[in-house]
Amino acid sequence: QSQLVESGGGLVQPGGSLRLSCTVSPYTLDYYSIGWFRQAPGREREGISCISASGTGTNYAGSVKGRFTISSDNAQKTVYLQMNNLKPEDTAVYYCAAELATVAHSCDLIEGHFDYWGQGTQVTVSS
């Protein structure tokens, strides 16, 4: 089955930056829509960004728009989430997820659409 591996989490001060990576297998990125989700303690998991199978369509949650950027590297089969101007409320476990795409140029953050999930990487924003 398809597998996803996240990396890049860590501890950062408010205002700092991190870049998360999500590497997929066995197929190339054009097979998948990729989403990033996060879950803070005591809170429901929320979708924060996604990128379409073609790489041309993206979506962002309002809480991260303008601060986070999703991108992809087809040769590396990796999707990135660049997180800038991090805030304490961004502290969470971040997960990438994938679905075998039926639409090339759009994506959504409906959790039930994603069939494959990584194990998560912790992001902590604290002074």
Side-chain angles (χ1 to χ4, degrees):
Q1 288 192 341
S2 295
Q3 292 183 314
L4 294 82
V5 179
E6 304 108 324
S7 63
L11 174 65
V12 65
Q13 291 185 313
S17 297
L18 286 172
R19 188 177 73 164
L20 306 183
S21 299
C22 175
T23 299
V24 306
S25 64
Y27 307 120
T28 50
L29 282 178
D30 56 302
Y31 282 75
Y32 305 100
S33 295
I34 303 294
W36 285 99
F37 297 78
R38 67 186 182 187
Q39 188 165 27
R43 295 193 59 190
E44 188 174 280
R45 187 157 55 195
E46 63 172 334
I48 56 173
S49 188
C50 65
I51 188 165
S52 66
S54 71
T56 62
T58 60
N59 280 308
Y60 297 91
S63 58
V64 306
K65 194 173 299 182
R67 298 189 297 123
F68 292 10
T69 303
I70 193 168
S71 62
S72 59
D73 183 331
N74 289 331
Q76 297 295 319
K77 301 202 297 182
T78 298
V79 170
Y80 302 98
L81 185 68
Q82 178 67 45
M83 305 185 295
N84 297 327
N85 192 25
L86 284 161
K87 305 175 184 296
E89 52 263 43
D90 295 317
T91 295
V93 177
Y94 284 69
Y95 300 88
C96 64
E99 64 171 321
L100 295 174
T102 58
V103 177
H105 304 299
S106 64
C107 67
D108 61 51
L109 289 167
I110 300 173
E111 188 170 329
H113 289 179
F114 293 85
D115 298 312
Y116 308 103
W117 293 78
Q119 291 300 306
T121 185
Q122 176 71 47
V123 171
T124 302
V125 184
S126 176
S127 60

